[in-house]
Short mmCIF file of all heavy atoms in Angstrom, two decimals:
data_model
loop_
_atom_site.label_atom_id
_atom_site.label_comp_id
_atom_site.label_asym_id
_atom_site.label_seq_id
_atom_site.Cartn_x
_atom_site.Cartn_y
_atom_site.Cartn_z
N ALA E 36 83.85 -31.42 84.53
CA ALA E 36 84.01 -32.86 84.73
C ALA E 36 84.45 -33.58 83.45
O ALA E 36 84.96 -34.69 83.49
CB ALA E 36 82.72 -33.47 85.26
N LYS E 121 62.87 -22.38 85.83
CA LYS E 121 62.17 -21.64 84.77
C LYS E 121 63.05 -21.51 83.53
O LYS E 121 62.57 -21.62 82.40
CB LYS E 121 61.78 -20.25 85.28
CG LYS E 121 61.07 -19.45 84.19
CD LYS E 121 60.91 -17.98 84.48
CE LYS E 121 60.09 -17.27 83.42
NZ LYS E 121 60.50 -17.44 82.03
N ARG E 133 62.77 -23.28 67.61
CA ARG E 133 63.77 -23.20 66.55
C ARG E 133 63.72 -24.42 65.63
O ARG E 133 64.07 -24.35 64.46
CB ARG E 133 65.16 -23.04 67.17
CG ARG E 133 66.30 -22.98 66.18
CD ARG E 133 66.16 -21.77 65.25
NE ARG E 133 67.28 -21.74 64.31
CZ ARG E 133 67.35 -22.47 63.22
NH1 ARG E 133 66.38 -23.32 62.93
NH2 ARG E 133 68.40 -22.38 62.43
N THR E 153 65.10 -34.28 59.64
CA THR E 153 63.78 -34.80 59.98
C THR E 153 63.60 -35.08 61.47
O THR E 153 62.52 -34.91 61.99
CB THR E 153 63.48 -36.08 59.20
OG1 THR E 153 64.57 -36.97 59.38
CG2 THR E 153 63.26 -35.79 57.74
N LEU E 195 42.69 -23.49 53.68
CA LEU E 195 42.29 -22.95 54.99
C LEU E 195 41.30 -21.80 54.78
O LEU E 195 41.66 -20.63 54.85
CB LEU E 195 43.52 -22.46 55.77
CG LEU E 195 43.24 -22.11 57.24
CD1 LEU E 195 43.06 -23.36 58.09
CD2 LEU E 195 44.37 -21.26 57.82
N VAL E 214 34.11 -24.80 72.71
CA VAL E 214 34.19 -24.09 71.42
C VAL E 214 32.82 -24.07 70.74
O VAL E 214 32.19 -25.11 70.59
CB VAL E 214 35.22 -24.76 70.47
CG1 VAL E 214 35.36 -23.95 69.18
CG2 VAL E 214 36.57 -24.91 71.16
N ILE E 216 30.89 -22.70 67.21
CA ILE E 216 31.11 -22.17 65.86
C ILE E 216 29.81 -21.51 65.39
O ILE E 216 28.77 -22.17 65.29
CB ILE E 216 31.50 -23.29 64.87
CG1 ILE E 216 32.68 -24.12 65.40
CG2 ILE E 216 31.80 -22.70 63.49
CD1 ILE E 216 33.96 -23.35 65.61
N PRO E 256 34.83 -12.07 85.63
CA PRO E 256 34.71 -11.82 84.19
C PRO E 256 35.98 -12.26 83.45
O PRO E 256 37.07 -12.22 84.02
CB PRO E 256 34.50 -10.32 84.10
CG PRO E 256 35.02 -9.76 85.37
CD PRO E 256 34.89 -10.82 86.42
N PHE E 260 40.26 -12.25 74.17
CA PHE E 260 41.12 -12.02 73.02
C PHE E 260 40.29 -12.11 71.75
O PHE E 260 39.50 -13.04 71.59
CB PHE E 260 42.25 -13.05 72.98
CG PHE E 260 43.04 -13.13 74.24
CD1 PHE E 260 43.02 -14.27 75.03
CD2 PHE E 260 43.81 -12.04 74.67
CE1 PHE E 260 43.74 -14.34 76.22
CE2 PHE E 260 44.53 -12.10 75.84
CZ PHE E 260 44.50 -13.25 76.63
N ARG E 304 46.88 -25.38 81.92
CA ARG E 304 45.83 -25.27 82.95
C ARG E 304 45.91 -23.93 83.68
O ARG E 304 45.93 -23.87 84.93
CB ARG E 304 45.91 -26.42 83.98
CG ARG E 304 46.23 -27.81 83.47
CD ARG E 304 45.45 -28.28 82.31
NE ARG E 304 44.08 -28.75 82.58
CZ ARG E 304 43.24 -29.11 81.61
NH1 ARG E 304 43.60 -29.05 80.34
NH2 ARG E 304 42.03 -29.51 81.90
N ASP E 354 32.27 -5.64 64.89
CA ASP E 354 31.13 -6.44 65.33
C ASP E 354 31.53 -7.43 66.43
O ASP E 354 30.74 -7.72 67.34
CB ASP E 354 30.51 -7.20 64.14
CG ASP E 354 29.60 -6.29 63.31
OD1 ASP E 354 29.28 -5.17 63.77
OD2 ASP E 354 29.20 -6.70 62.20
N THR E 455 35.18 -0.52 78.61
CA THR E 455 35.92 -1.76 78.87
C THR E 455 37.40 -1.46 78.62
O THR E 455 37.73 -0.84 77.62
CB THR E 455 35.45 -2.88 77.91
OG1 THR E 455 34.04 -3.03 78.05
CG2 THR E 455 36.13 -4.20 78.22
N ASN E 468 55.94 -13.07 57.26
CA ASN E 468 57.13 -12.64 56.52
C ASN E 468 58.20 -12.22 57.54
O ASN E 468 58.83 -11.19 57.42
CB ASN E 468 56.78 -11.47 55.61
CG ASN E 468 57.77 -11.37 54.46
OD1 ASN E 468 58.76 -12.10 54.41
ND2 ASN E 468 57.50 -10.49 53.53
N TRP E 482 53.67 -14.86 66.43
CA TRP E 482 53.88 -13.72 67.32
C TRP E 482 52.65 -13.46 68.20
O TRP E 482 51.53 -13.42 67.70
CB TRP E 482 54.19 -12.45 66.49
CG TRP E 482 54.67 -11.29 67.32
CD1 TRP E 482 55.95 -10.90 67.52
CD2 TRP E 482 53.84 -10.37 68.06
NE1 TRP E 482 55.99 -9.80 68.34
CE2 TRP E 482 54.71 -9.46 68.69
CE3 TRP E 482 52.47 -10.23 68.26
CZ2 TRP E 482 54.25 -8.42 69.50
CZ3 TRP E 482 52.01 -9.20 69.07
CH2 TRP E 482 52.89 -8.31 69.68
#
Side-chain angles (χ1 to χ4, degrees):
K121 179 192 185 307
R133 178 61 180 80
T153 51
L195 191 75
V214 184
I216 307 299
F260 306 114
R304 320 311 282 175
D354 280 349
T455 304
N468 204 354
W482 191 99

